[in-house]
């Protein structure tokens, strides 16, 4: 167990330091960032597979070994607990054995939740929607969004909706000189509509629509060099059809824009949209219960272990309290990420770094105090 926890700590440390690429393609921006960060070592890291370590078999192998060791410890601790009960040991010893059992059961529940998520769960990111919308999720049918006091949700069991960001969208209409609405078209094959709502996303930073009756094409785009946000400055350009000559150009900074042409008037109203992630998470409750039960078991078992009073007793107290605090912090961060985004750890360095420190600290604890987590020969804890 100590060796495995040390290897897990090393794996998590690599994830915290080295950016991860998709296994089938390299992101140009991430690659440039990696070269600037690691310099000549970038090529070596790439050949070692460190940039795609999260998509390799390594984490699955490590977690499978961890599940096996935890299961063995769970059985051994359960046998030890039954023996302690039959021998009518003290209540403190019974509590200590119970929390030791919980310390093994919690991580097993978490691993079981991750397993069934990997087998039957799915996750689709980058969707745009609002409360009351019905999203068409490719390959997974329709998902109707409902707003509650705690945020967006769906009526489908275990289908979660997470708000991951927002961005600007324009609601556009046009009228002629007499105030009559003009038809707008996104493409040549789409139907003409009196009003269009056009979101601008990181994947589509500009959009076009035409007003065929007056022979113009309108382009809406994010201002160059700006990041995507609700109040990002937008450029609106009007071109003549079919020559492509630029007729008018205006920057939209506020929430409203009125653009007067020779024989028409274009109106645009800015509003925010939500970027959503929709996920089917059959292991949700296991991923919630597992870390909580494991944290309670580890911390309680740690603090209930016999204290060796004597030389260096205060160092012993400080180290146990620091390990308990580190464990609680890591579990708290993972649960926060799970509630906010449906994943245990995102792209932030902090959760991976703290998890690596926690694994290494528990590895040292297991090596130095093996009797605290597993019964010794002869059945004595």
């Amino acid at each position: 167990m100590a060796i495995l926890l040390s290897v897990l700590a090393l794996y998590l440390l690599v994830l915290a330091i080295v950016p991860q690429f998709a296994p089938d393609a390299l992101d140009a921006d991430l690659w440039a960032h990696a070269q600037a960060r690691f310099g000549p070592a970038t090529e070596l890291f790439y050949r070692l597979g460190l940039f795609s370590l999260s998509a390799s078999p390594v984490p699955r192998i490590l977690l499978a070994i961890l599940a096996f060791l935890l299961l063995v410890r769970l059985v051994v601790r359960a046998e030890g607990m039954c023996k302690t009960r039959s021998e009518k040991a003290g209540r403190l010893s019974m509590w200590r054995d119970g929390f030791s059992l919980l310390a093994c059961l919690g991580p097993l529940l978490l691993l079981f939740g991750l397993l069934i998520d990997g087998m039957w769960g799915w996750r689709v990111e980058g969707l745009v929607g609002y409360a009351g919308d019905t999203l068409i999720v490719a390959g997974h049918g329709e998902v109707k969004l409902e707003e509650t006091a705690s945020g967006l949700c769906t009526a489908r069991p275990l289908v979660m909706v997470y708000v991951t960001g927002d961005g600007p969208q324009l609601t556009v209409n046009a009228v002629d000189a007499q105030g009559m609405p003009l038809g707008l078209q996104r493409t040549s094959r789409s139907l003409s509509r009196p009003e269009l709502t056009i979101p601008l996303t990181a994947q589509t930073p500009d959009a076009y629509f035409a007003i065929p009756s007056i022979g113009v094409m309108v382009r809406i785009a994010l201002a160059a060099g700006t990041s995507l946000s609700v109040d990002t400055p937008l450029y609106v350009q009007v071109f003549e059809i079919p020559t492509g000559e630029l007729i008018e150009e205006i920057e939209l900074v506020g929430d409203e824009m009125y653009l007067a042409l020779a024989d028409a008037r274009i109106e645009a109203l800015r509003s925010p949209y939500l970027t959503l992630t929709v996920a089917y998470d059959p292991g949700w409750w296991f991923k919630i219960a597992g870390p909580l039960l494991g944290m309670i078991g580890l911390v309680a078992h740690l603090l209930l272990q016999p204290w060796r009073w004597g030389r260096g007793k205060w160092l012993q107290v400080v180290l146990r309290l620091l390990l308990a605090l580190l464990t609680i912090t890591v579990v708290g961060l993972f649960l926060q990420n799970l509630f906010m985004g449906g994943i245990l750890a995102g792209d932030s360095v902090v959760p991976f770094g703290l998890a690596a420190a926690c694994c290494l600290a528990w590895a040292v604890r297991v090596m130095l105090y093996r009797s605290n987590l597993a019964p010794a020969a002869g059945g004595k804890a």
Side-chain angles (χ1 to χ4, degrees):
M1 179 64 78
I3 294 172
L4 179 63
L5 288 175
S6 300
V7 175
L8 273 174
L10 179 61
Y11 170 76
L12 292 169
L13 186 62
V14 171
L15 292 188
I17 296 174
V18 180
Q20 298 297 297
F21 301 117
D24 55 347
L26 289 178
D27 185 285
D29 292 336
L30 284 178
W31 181 253
H33 173 71
Q35 286 184 315
R37 185 175 182 180
F38 301 112
T42 306
E43 186 69 22
L44 176 62
F45 286 178
Y46 177 73
R47 293 186 180 277
L48 292 174
L50 298 186
F51 290 115
S52 56
L53 194 60
S54 61
S56 70
V58 171
R60 293 176 177 84
I61 294 173
L62 293 178
L63 294 181
I65 298 173
L66 178 62
F68 172 74
L69 293 180
L70 287 171
L71 187 59
V72 171
R73 285 174 175 268
L74 183 68
V75 173
V76 172
R77 294 308 298 164
E79 291 179 349
M81 190 174 180
C82 293
K83 186 175 181 179
T84 302
R85 186 174 181 180
S86 65
E87 294 175 353
K88 297 182 180 180
R91 181 171 296 182
L92 180 60
S93 179
M94 289 290 294
W95 277 104
R96 193 160 49 228
D97 289 344
F99 284 121
S100 176
L101 198 69
L102 206 60
C104 298
L105 180 61
L108 276 174
L109 290 177
L110 172 61
L111 293 175
F112 180 70
L114 293 175
L115 175 64
I116 61 178
D117 273 354
M119 295 176 63
W120 296 295
W122 50 263
R123 183 180 180 90
V124 179
E125 301 178 344
L127 301 175
V128 175
Y130 312 88
D133 285 358
T134 299
L135 300 178
I136 307 299
V137 182
H140 306 291
E142 296 183 351
V143 176
K144 183 175 177 56
L145 303 180
E146 301 175 356
E147 188 169 14
T148 64
S150 58
L152 293 178
C153 67
T154 72
R156 292 175 58 176
L158 297 178
V159 175
M160 312 292 182
V161 180
Y162 305 101
V163 179
T164 57
D166 54 21
Q169 68 176 7
L170 289 182
T171 301
V172 184
N173 63 74
V175 295
D176 60 18
Q178 288 73 40
M180 299 299 293
L182 299 174
L184 312 178
Q185 286 182 286
R186 289 295 303 271
T187 67
S188 59
R189 295 184 179 181
S190 62
L191 296 176
S192 179
R193 297 182 179 181
E195 185 176 272
L196 293 175
T197 299
I198 305 173
L200 299 178
T201 67
Q203 293 74 29
T204 56
D206 61 351
Y208 295 83
F209 68 90
I211 311 177
S213 58
I214 60 174
V216 298
M217 173 76 73
V218 180
R219 175 178 181 259
I220 303 171
L222 300 175
T226 60
S227 58
L228 185 66
S229 65
V230 175
D231 55 355
T232 298
L234 305 176
Y235 274 106
V236 180
Q237 298 173 310
V238 182
F239 302 92
E240 185 180 13
I241 300 176
T243 64
E245 179 184 354
L246 180 62
I247 301 174
E248 192 71 51
E249 182 177 21
I250 186 173
E251 182 179 3
L252 174 59
V253 179
D255 293 336
E256 297 181 5
M257 181 206 72
Y258 301 95
L259 181 59
L261 304 177
D263 48 3
R265 174 184 169 91
I266 301 175
E267 300 179 358
L269 178 64
R270 182 206 298 259
S271 60
Y273 67 79
L274 299 178
T275 305
L276 307 174
T277 293
V278 178
Y280 174 60
D281 200 347
W284 169 259
W285 292 111
F286 294 103
K287 292 191 295 185
I288 294 293
L292 281 175
L293 294 178
M295 177 191 70
I296 293 171
L298 285 171
V299 172
H301 182 76
L302 179 68
L303 298 180
L304 289 177
Q305 280 298 307
W307 297 84
R308 297 176 176 87
W309 301 111
R311 193 172 184 180
K313 61 180 180 179
W314 293 114
L315 179 61
Q316 178 189 182
V317 171
V318 170
L319 290 178
R320 286 199 193 187
L321 291 178
L322 286 177
L323 182 53
L325 181 60
L326 181 60
T327 303
I328 293 171
T329 302
V330 170
V331 172
L333 279 176
F334 281 178
L335 290 178
Q336 181 185 27
N337 288 330
L338 191 62
F339 279 108
M340 298 298 294
I343 52 178
L344 289 176
D347 298 328
S348 175
V349 173
V350 176
F352 288 112
L354 287 177
C358 190
C359 286
L360 186 59
W362 276 107
V364 173
R365 173 73 185 177
V366 171
M367 285 188 291
L368 295 180
Y369 305 96
R370 287 177 295 173
S371 63
N372 290 343
L373 294 178
K380 295 182 179 180

